[in-house]
Amino acid sequence: MAERYSRTRRLSVDLVAGLSDADATVQSMADASPAKWHLAHITWFFETFVLRDHVPGYRLFHDRWPFLFNSYYDAEGARHARDKRGLLTRPSLREIIAYRSWVDDALLSALDSLSPSHHALVELGLNHEQQHQELLLTDLKHLLSCNPLGPSAWDKDLPCPAGPGEVAPLRWLRHDGGLVEVGHGGSGFAFDNEGPRHPIFLTPYALADRQVTNGEWLSFIEDGGYATSTLWLSDGWAWVNAEAIDSPLYWRRIGGTWEHFTLSGWQPLDLSAPVAHVSFYEADAFASWAGARLPTEQEWEFASASHDPLSGVQLDAAGAVTPCGDRSGAPSMFGNVWQWTGSAYRPYPGFRTAPGAVGEYNGKFMSGQFVLKGGSCATPRGHLRHSYRNFFYPHQRWQFTGLRLAKDI
Amino acid sequence: MAERYSRTRRLSVDLVAGLSDADATVQSMADASPAKWHLAHITWFFETFVLRDHVPGYRLFHDRWPFLFNSYYDAEGARHARDKRGLLTRPSLREIIAYRSWVDDALLSALDSLSPSHHALVELGLNHEQQHQELLLTDLKHLLSCNPLGPSAWDKDLPCPAGPGEVAPLRWLRHDGGLVEVGHGGSGFAFDNEGPRHPIFLTPYALADRQVTNGEWLSFIEDGGYATSTLWLSDGWAWVNAEAIDSPLYWRRIGGTWEHFTLSGWQPLDLSAPVAHVSFYEADAFASWAGARLPTEQEWEFASASHDPLSGVQLDAAGAVTPCGDRSGAPSMFGNVWQWTGSAYRPYPGFRTAPGAVGEYNGKFMSGQFVLKGGSCATPRGHLRHSYRNFFYPHQRWQFTGLRLAKDI
Amino acid sequence: MAERYSRTRRLSVDLVAGLSDADATVQSMADASPAKWHLAHITWFFETFVLRDHVPGYRLFHDRWPFLFNSYYDAEGARHARDKRGLLTRPSLREIIAYRSWVDDALLSALDSLSPSHHALVELGLNHEQQHQELLLTDLKHLLSCNPLGPSAWDKDLPCPAGPGEVAPLRWLRHDGGLVEVGHGGSGFAFDNEGPRHPIFLTPYALADRQVTNGEWLSFIEDGGYATSTLWLSDGWAWVNAEAIDSPLYWRRIGGTWEHFTLSGWQPLDLSAPVAHVSFYEADAFASWAGARLPTEQEWEFASASHDPLSGVQLDAAGAVTPCGDRSGAPSMFGNVWQWTGSAYRPYPGFRTAPGAVGEYNGKFMSGQFVLKGGSCATPRGHLRHSYRNFFYPHQRWQFTGLRLAKDI
Amino acid sequence: MAERYSRTRRLSVDLVAGLSDADATVQSMADASPAKWHLAHITWFFETFVLRDHVPGYRLFHDRWPFLFNSYYDAEGARHARDKRGLLTRPSLREIIAYRSWVDDALLSALDSLSPSHHALVELGLNHEQQHQELLLTDLKHLLSCNPLGPSAWDKDLPCPAGPGEVAPLRWLRHDGGLVEVGHGGSGFAFDNEGPRHPIFLTPYALADRQVTNGEWLSFIEDGGYATSTLWLSDGWAWVNAEAIDSPLYWRRIGGTWEHFTLSGWQPLDLSAPVAHVSFYEADAFASWAGARLPTEQEWEFASASHDPLSGVQLDAAGAVTPCGDRSGAPSMFGNVWQWTGSAYRPYPGFRTAPGAVGEYNGKFMSGQFVLKGGSCATPRGHLRHSYRNFFYPHQRWQFTGLRLAKDI
């Protein structure tokens, strides 16, 4: 546990290497948070729910910081407004790194004396931190994309060194379904929203063997997909028109060439890579245009659980962060981009929230959002499960979000 | 068919008897439409999809009115903006009644010569009209509620002549569930969104034998329900605070007495009657407070289909329009108030939209809304089915919306 | 006084002859009020400030109506929100006409026994009523313009029966200025904001002998005036872009022909008539484009007082309501369209508000608005003075607002 | 000139000593700009209007930066949106300091060879830089005030070392007025909006011998000033209610003690110091409450020009930045806080804008704003004139804005 704790915590700091204090401070939209805030918030989580609550004698690093770095836990009291996180030029990035060390020292010292239920809180904290590692990267990407200079976050090599590849024709993989079980049922860690494991009935269906690509999306654009009302959900059509949407987020056309913004700045669009940064509305409209539909989360999970080892393009300590597509010839259900499902995010039968502030982790968000599966190139490797349920509002697209088609058979 | 057509069409006009041209013209919010607009729109539906499309030689009543009275059918072209419907002081109510007669004459004359598929369009049109009869009443109620004079829509007797009744203690009815079928499968009329009929698996559950009452809701208020964040979904909590919600719509407290606004003006609150005009967010928070939950739409339908004859308090030609509660001692699953379920409104497995403009009827609204079951005191008797799926956004509450509790067993 | 009272009051009712209850009820924007509301509000003014306050034994027509028909007099207590005036489908137009009769009867009976200071309140009420007669017409015009059917308010002949005329070349009339006096100083009625009369110093200037015409405005459009940032005030340029303004209000181009909406429906644009329905921002930009400027209110008043008999196209009981231009060969400073000046609406030196609610009449609006002079085709004849100060916000243009150019010499 | 140039430019950099890159990057509201942006924008002004336009061979420091650092000069082409200035985490503060050096080197080298008209542009640039020095400080103050930690900008001593002083009773100074002249007429530098010098007529008036104090403002609060509609302009009353205003900006009450936020963090309120951070609406309401009024700008200028040497509390290189009040016994018309006048900001008779982009400096802002006189504790000493016209919108109050009373005599 100590080793895993240290490794996970270290990755967060590694991700901001090379960022300036300013880069780590600014909030580019209400949905996003500053890197500095992420680094502090995930530390606050350990400080509050482990050290403060369960380690006698622990002294808070700073008595006003909990007000600043609580995210949404009403049971923890008042807090700094979410859309004002970018106004906190103090404390500095350096001070927050010091806060992290303070908490790490205390937690590692206390680790051996903590009970199993407190170890479970540490485990929750580490999974929580991994979620924020992904958010830190996607929020940073959004921030840099707002700068007309198109800066690069770091000096790593270009995202997909091998260059654009060929895309094999899409194949449909059949699943008979029937009465099956989904949801987390094992003994390892899982978030509360992944259970209980329960039976469901699936009618036969087929899933695409890979994600939709940039090239296929370009065909959708060129066929007038964004201007054809009949392809869209009513809410989606209102959104497209109100926001003047005509391509995925971070795409632009310079002369006749499409580019997309990456953490390494503007790059030519790789037509063979999975499309990223599309909303649920766009994914749904694309599926209609393609004569298909989005899979339900249960269809996705059942197919995934049958034959997939959680591989695929995910976040590794040293790597670039871009959905390059599967070059191996063995495409995975996981990685590259989160895949929108057609399932509204609602509780599983028998779901109960935990008591106390930790119970606010997932349950209270179960309205208005849609489930995504499979993780992305920005999800830390080791973080995912077949039963993992990510969720976002249908208009949101600053995450690495794409899709895989399904159809009835 | 001719008799049913005439009877249904006549009810719409009966509902506006006693309204002034002004009452029938004003739009009190973007979600609502003027009575005049409803009367014209449901007529436009017959004129467009039956007479214009399938009756040779039919001449439009007025060539600009289709622009005014198309609701949301993109395939039918441009239309008057939804939130500007209340600006149409011309045509007058009298002219719209004349429009109705013109279309009725043409349709009744053509009825015998129409094919079965066109008869199906007439049947759809009549069900469509019944939906708008309910909306006409709820929109009118909203409009009158905005008037500080608290006017009465008509001179009918007070809503529940027998006066407030006693409420029996709530009983829980068990359902074993298992692998069952839901959705419309018969041969009669149903909307496209009610099918296909399909198997699902239900874990055992219990449903309350009646709807939540005003008296129970008052206990929720007095227990601080509207001020307790842990009872609420995150979106609901944001809504409660942004809109300063602290009671159902149309409730007010004068001195120490609660009143509610009805189509007969302000009336004392009947504590034994089902609570109405609560949002999904409120219904969900109430259920949390009560240690229960909302049923899924499948739980509701399965329980209903087992033992219920579609009875209950619904709209009859001459009656008042208020959820008086069941006085008969044989409470029904139906009537009084629409019941929020915990199910997001999404397509059933195998659902396909019909081609053409009529295909926009239901499918494109399948995001962001929740399913309601059972009909209300404003739903025309004869309009409902066990598989009937109504849907509204989770914050909306100007319909007669209430709830019935469920729990795991 | 009785004769003048009756005549003025009768005109208000004459103006709504031919309107339906719906026409008189709907509010098309927050700036405008329903005709019914105007008719009741100006009656409330007499009821409140004369009958209630000064006529013993007077009984209110309806004890809740003062809440509905107070406009903005804070000292008179709470009131119905301005932007909700259009929700009052009750009382009906007929009931409001009855209210008017009730008040008229009471006031005419009491007239002889009222003191001179109460007569002054009646005089104020009649001038107040005349202001609302103009607003009633401009608000009605706005409402009808929102209807895609383009209805006519009444069956009067087309606005300018003689048809478009020739426009003489603009001539500049010189004024030497110097130390002069402006403001109301006589013994007759004037609003409080017109005084005190006071000395000012005017540097020499010239005024155009007529108002800017539709034809001249068309040249401004065709020369790219709406797309040339350097012509505009910064606030104006923001407004033009935010609202996508590219022509006066009520103009449209059908094929190659310009039309404008009038109280008699859509009509061909008369290029010789004064331009109407332009904002201060547009008027200021036009003046810049023309190498001129707007006059100050003092320049306008001084020029007007020197040689103008308050003639010009104004509202007469039976006439049409449109700025037809001066056909007589003797152009007036008055009539046709209100003329924007370059003067912000601020108090004159020594200005004091009256005590009590009547003191809220003018003074509290003295920020953010600009002064207009001269009256329009919708201003009742007999209502104007050289010192008359009308005022609107710089973006507003639903009044008959135009301009006359000025320049330094 | 070289010495003045270097001294002025150095002060700007001195003001950000001690700020972090983050402090200098974040934008706390659309009205404010980041310190970094100010430093770059005032440099861009010299680079564009002097070096690029008039120094052969000058090479831009960075070809994309003009897009970032143009403020509002439409004639200079497209630019980064004003409310997005805080998203520019790159370039860094260090890079912007380098930009400043690059431009300073080029300009000082070229200075001797520049013509007098180009020297006038340099002079304009220096005055422009001084204006932004004040804005930099007030924008920084606003930013730090948004931080719940209440940080101090720097480690200088507390604002008013001598502590709160006694306030002498207010005395009224009479001015006879008559036909006088105002506006800039001399040969030294002035902004275009200060001229031409022109005659006006002033009726006799009196001005207070000092500014309104915090103590007097507290009496206004305690007397219910913020809740008394009759004291307020209509727009002001709407603003007070919409924004829930009940004290000057930066005031808070902790227990029974009033504090205000300063560039040295939260400090006890000095009741003897001039009130700061009030809007025009508040200043006008206070004056009504006090039975007085705001002076016109002409009244202020005439009184000031008669007997004041431009002294008073202003920004000095090393000093604190707070309106401490006049301790000398010889109160000045200048310094401490900008004084709202009752004059709308409009052009003087005969005012013309300069051709080209520099002509956008002042003229296009001449609507909707009010004139302030006298400078503040954040105005660089040496920057002011009797004819100086500052201007802000009537709701704005993040500048050091206060008032001095006037009355008719």
Side-chain angles (χ1 to χ4, degrees), chain A residues 264-340:
Chain A
S264 303
W266 288 97
Q267 303 290 345
L269 194 66
D270 176 355
L271 296 182
S272 70
V275 68
H277 301 298
V278 296
S279 70
F280 170 82
Y281 296 133
E282 289 169 286
D284 185 84
F286 179 94
S288 293
W289 172 79
R293 60 174 173 80
L294 298 178
T296 65
E297 61 169 319
Q298 292 85 1
E299 288 172 338
W300 194 99
E301 179 178 345
F302 176 67
S304 157
S306 313
H307 50 62
D308 197 283
L310 302 176
S311 60
V313 176
Q314 297 165 50
L315 181 67
D316 296 301
V321 182
T322 210
C324 288
D326 299 297
R327 312 281 159 158
S328 62
S332 167
M333 288 290 282
F334 287 85
N336 281 311
V337 291
W338 286 98
Q339 297 158 58
W340 285 108

Side-chain angles (χ1 to χ4, degrees), chain D residues 230-300:
Chain D
T230 49
L231 297 173
W232 294 78
L233 286 162
S234 179
D235 288 350
W237 187 240
W239 171 79
V240 157
N241 286 284
E243 307 290 324
I245 304 290
D246 57 8
S247 67
L249 185 62
Y250 302 137
W251 285 34
R252 72 176 182 191
R253 193 172 190 173
I254 300 287
T257 307
W258 284 96
E259 298 182 350
H260 66 146
F261 188 75
T262 73
L263 281 161
S264 303
W266 288 97
Q267 303 290 345
L269 194 65
D270 176 355
L271 296 183
S272 70
V275 68
H277 300 297
V278 296
S279 69
F280 169 82
Y281 296 132
E282 288 168 286
D284 184 84
F286 179 93
S288 294
W289 172 79
R293 59 171 175 82
L294 298 178
T296 65
E297 60 169 319
Q298 291 85 1
E299 287 172 337
W300 194 99

Side-chain angles (χ1 to χ4, degrees), chain C residues 37-346:
Chain C
W37 189 91
H38 284 297
L39 294 177
H41 164 67
I42 51 194
T43 303
W44 165 87
F45 192 96
F46 287 111
E47 183 179 62
T48 302
F49 298 123
V50 181
L51 296 174
R52 185 202 63 180
D53 286 357
H54 303 299
V55 175
Y58 175 74
R59 189 162 55 81
L60 290 183
F61 183 75
H62 190 298
D63 62 355
R64 290 289 289 160
W65 288 22
F67 180 86
L68 300 181
F69 300 124
N70 176 5
S71 53
Y72 55 69
Y73 296 84
D74 287 315
E76 284 293 319
R79 61 187 175 276
H80 190 60
R82 176 177 183 141
D83 61 350
K84 308 287 189 205
R85 289 176 185 165
L87 300 179
L88 304 175
T89 61
R90 322 277 179 91
S92 67
L93 179 54
R94 183 193 309 238
E95 290 171 296
I96 283 167
I97 302 286
Y99 174 39
R100 294 181 64 89
S101 297
W102 170 279
V103 165
D104 288 349
D105 290 350
L107 199 136
L108 288 169
S109 300
L111 204 53
D112 288 345
S113 58
L114 289 174
S115 73
S117 74
H118 303 156
H119 273 213
L121 286 169
V122 175
E123 184 63 40
L124 178 60
L126 292 175
N127 278 275
H128 174 252
E129 179 133 358
Q130 290 179 312
Q131 292 182 308
H132 279 276
Q133 287 165 351
E134 176 154 11
L135 293 172
L136 187 157
L137 290 169
T138 52
D139 292 353
L140 174 64
K141 181 172 179 177
H142 188 266
L143 169 62
L144 296 178
S145 80
C146 296
N147 191 321
L149 303 180
S152 175
W154 42 51
D155 295 329
K156 296 183 185 172
D157 286 335
L158 290 188
C160 303
E166 295 270 311
V167 187
L170 183 153
R171 287 186 308 137
W172 290 100
L173 306 181
R174 293 177 54 105
H175 301 276
D176 291 335
L179 193 62
V180 305
E181 288 207 333
V182 295
H184 184 75
S187 58
F189 174 83
F191 289 113
D192 57 356
N193 64 359
E194 299 174 47
R197 190 161 179 85
H198 61 285
I200 56 156
F201 187 89
L202 293 178
T203 37
Y205 64 103
L207 280 191
D209 69 332
R210 59 164 174 79
Q211 297 161 338
V212 169
T213 65
N214 287 325
E216 289 163 337
W217 201 272
L218 204 51
S219 301
F220 172 70
I221 293 178
E222 289 168 351
D223 196 38
Y226 282 100
T228 305
S229 70
T230 49
L231 297 173
W232 294 78
L233 286 161
S234 179
D235 288 350
W237 187 239
W239 171 79
V240 156
N241 286 285
E243 306 289 325
I245 304 290
D246 58 6
S247 67
L249 184 63
Y250 301 138
W251 285 33
R252 73 176 182 192
R253 194 172 189 172
I254 299 288
T257 307
W258 284 96
E259 299 181 350
H260 66 146
F261 188 76
T262 75
L263 281 162
S264 303
W266 288 97
Q267 303 290 345
L269 193 66
D270 176 353
L271 296 184
S272 70
V275 68
H277 301 297
V278 296
S279 70
F280 170 82
Y281 295 132
E282 289 168 285
D284 184 84
F286 179 92
S288 293
W289 172 79
R293 59 172 174 83
L294 297 178
T296 65
E297 59 170 319
Q298 292 85 0
E299 288 172 337
W300 194 99
E301 179 178 344
F302 175 68
S304 156
S306 314
H307 49 61
D308 198 282
L310 303 176
S311 61
V313 176
Q314 296 166 50
L315 182 68
D316 295 300
V321 183
T322 210
C324 288
D326 298 296
R327 313 280 158 161
S328 61
S332 167
M333 288 290 282
F334 286 85
N336 281 310
V337 291
W338 286 99
Q339 297 158 57
W340 286 109
T341 73
S343 298
Y345 178 51
R346 293 289 298 154

Side-chain angles (χ1 to χ4, degrees), chain A residues 128-156:
Chain A
H128 174 251
E129 178 133 359
Q130 290 179 312
Q131 293 183 307
H132 279 276
Q133 287 165 351
E134 177 155 11
L135 293 172
L136 187 156
L137 290 170
T138 52
D139 292 355
L140 175 63
K141 181 172 179 176
H142 187 266
L143 169 62
L144 296 178
S145 79
C146 297
N147 190 323
L149 302 180
S152 174
W154 42 51
D155 294 330
K156 295 180 186 174

